[in-house]
Amino acid sequence: MARKFITYFEKQGNDYTDELIAAVLDKLGMSDNINRILIASSSGKSALQLYNALDGDIEIINVTHHMGFSAPNESDISDEMIDELERLGIKTYHGSHAFSGAARGVTNKYG
């Protein structure tokens, strides 16, 4: 039988990065077949913190907002941070998810 645990955070942001990393480390301690971790970090700081907390060869992929999310033609992650993450072997993905407009519409209407 497999048991899964889900942690929900009260809000988005850096307030829960330490708790997230603790949950990742707990999960890694229960499994020997995880070789890739995706982390949502708009600035890249949480991805860097995750990298510093890990031992071993686990691929980290940082997912940030698409260009223009916060301001026209701007990225939430600096070029310098992308370079630093890449130097450490962390890939960064900029992109939209397919249902972001639909989800935002439901949230705006129903809360």
Side-chain angles (χ1 to χ4, degrees), residues 17 20-21 37-41 46-47 50 60-64 90:
T17 300
L20 170 72
I21 291 172
I37 298 172
L38 276 72
I39 184 167
S41 178
S46 293
L50 175 64
I60 299 172
I61 300 171
N62 180 51
V63 181
T64 187
I90 301 171

Side-chain angles (χ1 to χ4, degrees), residues 43 67 75-86 92 94:
S43 69
M67 293 292 289
S75 174
D76 290 344
I77 187 170
S78 70
D79 290 339
E80 293 80 16
M81 179 59 84
I82 291 173
D83 290 344
E84 172 70 8
L85 295 174
E86 285 180 355
T92 296
H94 289 82

Side-chain angles (χ1 to χ4, degrees), residues 31-102:
S31 177
D32 59 355
N33 63 351
I34 296 173
N35 55 19
R36 182 176 299 120
I37 298 172
L38 276 72
I39 184 167
S41 178
S42 57
S43 69
K45 291 177 186 175
S46 293
L48 186 58
Q49 193 172 338
L50 175 64
Y51 173 87
N52 289 327
L54 293 177
D55 276 342
D57 293 326
I58 297 177
E59 179 183 13
I60 299 172
I61 300 171
N62 180 51
V63 181
T64 187
H65 294 132
H66 59 82
M67 293 292 289
F69 180 84
S70 297
N73 299 317
E74 289 187 19
S75 174
D76 290 344
I77 187 170
S78 70
D79 290 339
E80 293 80 16
M81 179 59 84
I82 291 173
D83 290 344
E84 172 70 8
L85 295 174
E86 285 180 355
R87 186 182 66 76
L88 298 171
I90 301 171
K91 297 173 185 148
T92 296
Y93 172 77
H94 289 82
S96 298
H97 52 87
F99 300 107
S100 63

